[in-house]
Amino acid sequence: MQFGVFSVSDITRDPVSGETPSEAERIDAIVRIAEKAEEVGLDVFAIGEHHNPPFFSSAPTTLLAHIAARTERLIVSTATTLITTNDPVRIAEEYAMLQHLAKGRMDLMLGRGNTAPVYPWFGADIRQSLPLALENYNLLHRLWREDVVDWEGKFRTPLQGFTSTPRPLDDVPPFVWHGSIRTPEIAEQAAYYGDGFFANNIFWPKEHYMRLIKFYRQRYAHYGHGTEQQAIVGLGGQAYIAKRSQDAINEFRPYFNEAPVYGHGPRMEDFMEQTPLSVGSPQEVIDKTLTFREHFGDYQRQMFLMDHAGLPLKTVLNQLDLLGEEVVPVLRKEIESRQDPRTAEPPTHAGRVREKYGDKPARQPRPNANRGDNVTGGSPYQDAE
Amino acid sequence: MTAQFQLVVVSAGTGDPSSTRLLADRVAQRVTALAARKQLTVGVRTIELRELAGEIANAIVSGHIGVKLRDAITQLQRADGIVASTPVYKAGASGLFTSFFQVLDNDLLIAKPVVLAATAGTARHALVVDDQMRGLFAYLRTVVVPTSLFAATEDWTDAGLTKRVDRAALELVALMAAGFEKTVRDESWGSYQHEFGSAGGTELTIDLDSDLMRLATGGSAS
């Protein structure tokens, strides 16, 4: 089981101090948060992608490459990469590059994006969001697995003899999670390709995700990737931790009350009772998180939203100390003892290399000399015809 | 013995007792009595929107459905007939009433028979039910009975109101007894728009034989 933190990259006014951080301050802060995640023993750091204020993360691979360079064990990921408004060719290139630089310590989560005005900025239309996502991923999947791709679809310029470079590290494509909270087609696509499925698990009561995760598991087995228990599931969650639960509640309330999305809405206590939000002592957060596997089955990755809603950097770092030192070690132990032994290992590059090659060396593609195009003649790589 | 039909009364009245609730209760009583004449039993449940006001507001701004609101949605999902009653404010249905029906899934009330009722302090609001409320319930694909009910202060002492209540109640009983909702839902449910988890969390059909599903599994978009 992997544990990590994810951030949507919001730049939100701190409702307690009244200060809004600058973009520069937030970008510095996020690097510090990612480094801290590794220091306290977490496995994953993920960042969102947005193309409008008040968010800063428009170029996630640049940020993640920088973080990968400053860390040693941390897996960098996204939450989410927009599979709708990004050209799948650019996703293939940028994330393969990140994969090389991070030495395989990366994966990515695909999402559609629900901000209508963003779509036309990139020549897309939100009303086509679902077919766009599905078609784009079909192409992305091939670009990372076939050296030369001929392709024609409804939404993008056709490709003839296109090679996405660099080829994935060790010729093993980055692991992909498909994030969705209510779209069976996305769950079906994740299952069809044997990819991971991630349910954000933050805004709605759990029954919502239970149905979709169950469907994904059934279809994963249907397509012959393994049993239902071996499907790769990730969950989001959110927590605010303090040694004493009353302190957690008092400290977090002003941020909850003005948080983007659910702020100015339900009472925090109701939200805690009816959604996966935990605000309390380490033990309370542990207890609540341990219930997730009872509802969703054993899963591979638990992400926490801890950097949001204007919480100052100092508080977020303190939260990560508590998460990494007092919550996650207990969760690891407890889950290990309760977990079904048939549960799949969480995805890592090393594991996927082993799965593909066993003890044999991994493929290291070396290109032939430039000959102008990939359409004529054989493979652009020396080791293939 | 369990009732053959469930009638759900939705009242946006704010007083206790409120004339809005009173009007709705009169309809419910008449529905029960008229059904009994046809050897049909009707169970009545009441949703007081006043008690859900906070959760309705939360649902509008954050999408979060609270426990009491969830329960009301379940009751409506199971209803065979609905009496929806609201006070008129500023020449329109109460915002609480409108907000409640706006947070429901589009397909929750498909083909359900509905009596619409409104109360006001003046007869000048008399056309609010027919001119404004019917549109909302048409959007929700309900079947609103032909007789709309409206009670201004003076109507409470007028035998005409009782007559209209009787008429609306009989129309509702006729629609319920005819099994209109069941026929539509049994034979045509799939032809309405749904989302996964809509209809109050009961719509869980997944059509694997669709263009989008073919696209999801490596096919091409049509």
Side-chain angles (χ1 to χ4, degrees):
Chain A
M1 180 102 167
Q2 294 165 339
F3 292 89
V5 286
F6 65 134
S7 171
V8 291
S9 88
D10 60 313
I11 306 179
T12 304
R13 173 180 166 273
D14 179 338
V16 174
S17 71
E19 292 291 318
T20 303
S22 69
E23 291 178 339
E25 285 165 346
R26 270 295 273 154
I27 291 167
D28 286 344
I30 205 75
V31 174
R32 185 71 201 96
I33 287 165
E35 290 171 337
K36 183 78 174 180
E38 173 162 292
E39 284 165 30
V40 300
L42 299 178
D43 307 302
V44 187
F45 170 84
I47 190 79
E49 177 183 340
H50 290 273
H51 297 275
N52 52 321
F55 304 95
F56 63 80
S57 178
S58 58
T61 52
T62 309
L63 173 69
L64 294 176
H66 177 72
I67 289 169
R70 296 174 70 98
T71 52
E72 285 171 8
R73 297 180 317 279
L74 194 67
I75 294 173
V76 293
S77 185
T78 55
T80 63
T81 295
L82 300 174
I83 185 64
T84 46
T85 46
N86 283 305
D87 181 356
V89 168
R90 293 296 292 140
I91 295 180
E93 293 173 340
E94 288 175 6
Y95 285 86
M97 190 68 194
L98 173 64
Q99 188 192 23
H100 278 271
L101 293 172
K103 301 285 177 244
R105 282 189 288 120
M106 60 77 72
D107 50 40
L108 66 160
M109 190 202 304
L110 301 179
R112 288 197 280 152
N114 60 5
T115 314
V118 175
Y119 284 73
W121 296 334
F122 297 92
D125 179 346
I126 195 169
R127 291 169 298 184
Q128 293 294 319
S129 160
L130 184 53
L132 192 54
L134 298 171
E135 179 178 296
N136 281 350
Y137 183 66
N138 287 338
L139 173 56
L140 176 61
H141 191 267
R142 286 185 59 195
L143 290 170
W144 277 338
R145 286 163 177 84
E146 299 171 32
D147 288 349
V148 183
V149 171
D150 293 338
W151 182 87
E152 195 174 338
K154 187 180 170 191
F155 296 107
R156 189 197 184 284
T157 315
L159 296 169
Q160 279 297 317
F162 179 75
T163 297
S164 174
T165 56
R167 302 308 300 147
L169 178 66
D170 302 317
D171 206 20
V172 170
F175 186 79
V176 170
W177 302 86
H178 299 256
S180 175
I181 53 172
R182 59 183 149 198
T183 313
E185 288 84 357
I186 296 292
E188 174 77 359
Q189 191 171 43
Y192 175 73
Y193 287 113
D195 296 335
F197 185 72
F198 189 94
N200 192 357
N201 196 27
I202 282 189
F203 302 122
W204 300 76
K206 63 182 179 302
E207 287 71 18
H208 231 76
Y209 313 106
M210 283 168 66
R211 302 174 188 130
L212 213 50
I213 290 174
K214 187 162 169 243
F215 173 71
Y216 159 73
R217 288 184 185 279
Q218 287 166 346
R219 300 300 288 171
Y220 184 92
H222 170 83
Y223 286 112
H225 300 295
T227 63
E228 290 181 27
Q229 293 104 319
Q230 287 164 338
I232 312 290
V233 173
L235 290 178
Q238 60 175 337
Y240 188 93
I241 317 160
K243 297 258 180 200
R244 295 182 338 145
S245 77
Q246 197 54 47
D247 291 342
I249 285 169
N250 292 341
E251 287 166 27
F252 189 57
R253 191 185 303 281
Y255 295 92
F256 177 89
N257 285 347
E258 296 198 24
V261 184
Y262 51 71
H264 308 283
R267 280 173 63 241
M268 191 168 80
E269 282 76 1
D270 293 337
F271 207 74
M272 283 161 60
E273 202 181 293
Q274 295 159 30
T275 80
L277 170 68
S278 312
V279 181
S281 67
Q283 191 57 47
E284 285 169 309
V285 176
I286 289 164
D287 290 343
K288 185 139 184 178
T289 308
L290 281 173
T291 65
F292 294 175
R293 57 176 290 284
E294 292 163 19
H295 303 304
F296 304 103
D298 283 311
Y299 58 108
Q300 282 65 37
R301 181 174 290 182
Q302 175 64 56
M303 299 294 278
F304 289 98
L305 179 66
M306 309 206 83
D307 164 52
H308 66 129
L311 286 163
L313 176 61
K314 195 174 156 219
T315 306
V316 176
L317 297 178
N318 177 44
Q319 287 295 303
L320 291 178
D321 275 330
L322 289 163
L323 181 70
E325 286 161 17
E326 306 205 18
V327 173
V328 167
V330 182
L331 283 175
R332 285 192 204 279
K333 224 172 91 192
E334 288 294 323
I335 287 173
E336 201 178 324
S337 68
R338 298 176 191 200
Q339 196 173 52
D340 185 323
R342 294 166 294 179
T343 308
E345 287 291 310
T348 59
H349 182 71
R352 286 162 61 73
V353 168
R354 219 166 27 245
E355 203 175 289
K356 178 166 180 179
Y357 298 103
D359 296 332
K360 299 197 187 80
R363 180 187 181 214
Q364 300 300 337
R366 293 166 211 278
N368 289 311
N370 184 17
R371 59 209 165 128
D373 68 60
N374 295 322
V375 182
T376 50
S379 164
Y381 290 97
Q382 294 176 13
D383 62 352
E385 289 297 308
Chain B
M1 170 182 150
T2 52
Q4 287 158 296
F5 294 106
Q6 278 301 328
L7 180 69
V8 174
V9 170
V10 179
S11 168
T14 52
D16 186 15
S18 78
S19 59
T20 301
R21 168 75 189 269
L22 196 69
L23 181 58
D25 282 350
R26 277 213 203 171
V27 181
Q29 278 160 15
R30 292 308 294 154
V31 167
T32 311
L34 292 169
R37 281 192 212 159
K38 297 177 190 289
Q39 325 298 325
L40 301 171
T41 54
V42 176
V44 181
R45 286 165 177 260
T46 303
I47 299 168
E48 281 279 9
L49 297 185
R50 188 177 51 144
E51 295 165 11
L52 306 179
E55 292 191 5
I56 292 168
N58 287 341
I60 289 242
V61 299
S62 73
H64 179 77
I65 308 283
V67 174
K68 285 184 287 184
L69 183 53
R70 168 81 40 209
D71 185 52
I73 289 170
T74 303
Q75 284 191 39
L76 281 177
Q77 196 268 325
R78 293 175 183 160
D80 300 298
I82 296 166
V83 178
S85 184
T86 179
V88 172
Y89 299 139
K90 322 288 182 207
S94 151
L96 178 64
F97 180 88
T98 313
S99 297
F100 173 70
F101 285 98
Q102 284 172 346
V103 301
L104 304 181
D105 289 332
N106 287 349
D107 55 356
L108 184 75
L109 303 182
I110 287 174
K112 288 187 191 290
V114 177
V115 172
L116 291 181
T119 57
T122 161
R124 291 185 185 86
H125 293 308
L127 280 175
V128 162
V129 184
D130 279 330
D131 267 9
Q132 298 187 8
M133 291 165 63
R134 276 183 185 270
L136 170 61
F137 285 81
Y139 185 90
L140 292 167
R141 304 284 180 260
T142 62
V143 194
V144 178
V145 302
T147 300
S148 300
L149 296 175
F150 174 80
T153 314
E154 59 268 32
D155 289 307
W156 292 102
T157 52
D158 182 352
L161 177 64
T162 309
K163 225 177 194 170
R164 288 192 295 277
V165 167
D166 266 353
R167 232 165 62 191
L170 182 81
E171 289 161 0
L172 190 76
V173 170
L175 281 167
M176 290 197 299
F180 177 81
E181 182 204 1
K182 185 170 162 19
T183 305
V184 169
R185 288 186 170 228
D186 285 355
E187 296 179 25
S188 189
W189 179 251
S191 68
Y192 295 84
Q193 275 193 6
H194 307 285
E195 280 176 38
F196 187 65
S198 66
T202 60
E203 173 49 36
L204 301 174
T205 314
I206 297 176
D207 180 9
L208 293 170
D209 186 30
S210 68
D211 287 346
L212 282 171
M213 280 300 191
R214 277 184 283 281
L215 186 58
T217 52
S220 51
S222 54

